[in-house]
Structure formats: C-alpha cells, structure tokens
Amino acid sequence: TGVQTCALPISVALAGSAEKTPRYVAIHATLVGLRGAIFQALGVFLYSKTGSLTIPLAIGAGGFVWAGNQMWSLRKLYEARKLAGK
C-alpha cells in the first residue's frame, strides 16, 4: 500500500542504516503490539468504570502530545548528529 511504500524509507532513516532496519522494524512492531494490547484494555476499563469516553480520549490525546514532543526532540538530535557528520 501507499503507507508501506512511504514507511520503508522512513524506517531505514530512523534505523540509521539499511543493515539495522530489520531490528528497528521488529522492535517497532513489538512495541506497537504491546501498546495496542495494554492501552486498549485500559481504555475499555476506564470507559466501563466512568461510562464516558472523555477520560480515555483525554489520556490518548495527552499521549499523542507527549509522543509529538519526543519526535521533535529526536528530530533535533538527528539533525545535530547529521551536521556533525556522525
């Protein structure tokens, strides 16, 4: 698919080299699976206790904000290393 076509070059860039890409993709897939299993269950639990989607969605939104901040920090680090020639 189009997403997979775009994701492969991104995975190579994030892994640092083509040789490290399989390891990066494996770790990424594992963590995505754990996130789906754990936080989906947490969201269902919170919904069942509160009867509202507000709390699970607010926690999810907070997670996206935190992840976005992490990505910006990693981008700055990546650019600094790239300029340093590492």
Side-chain angles (χ1 to χ4, degrees), residues 44-68:
V44 170
F45 173 77
L46 290 172
Y47 175 72
S48 70
K49 292 297 179 188
T50 64
S52 171
L53 289 175
T54 303
I55 293 174
L57 290 176
I59 293 170
F64 275 113
V65 169
W66 178 71

Side-chain angles (χ1 to χ4, degrees), residues 12-35:
V12 174
L14 291 173
S17 71
E19 293 80 27
K20 294 180 183 177
T21 301
R23 180 183 292 173
Y24 171 83
V25 171
I27 292 169
H28 175 75
T30 301
L31 293 176
V32 167
L34 289 172
R35 179 190 67 192

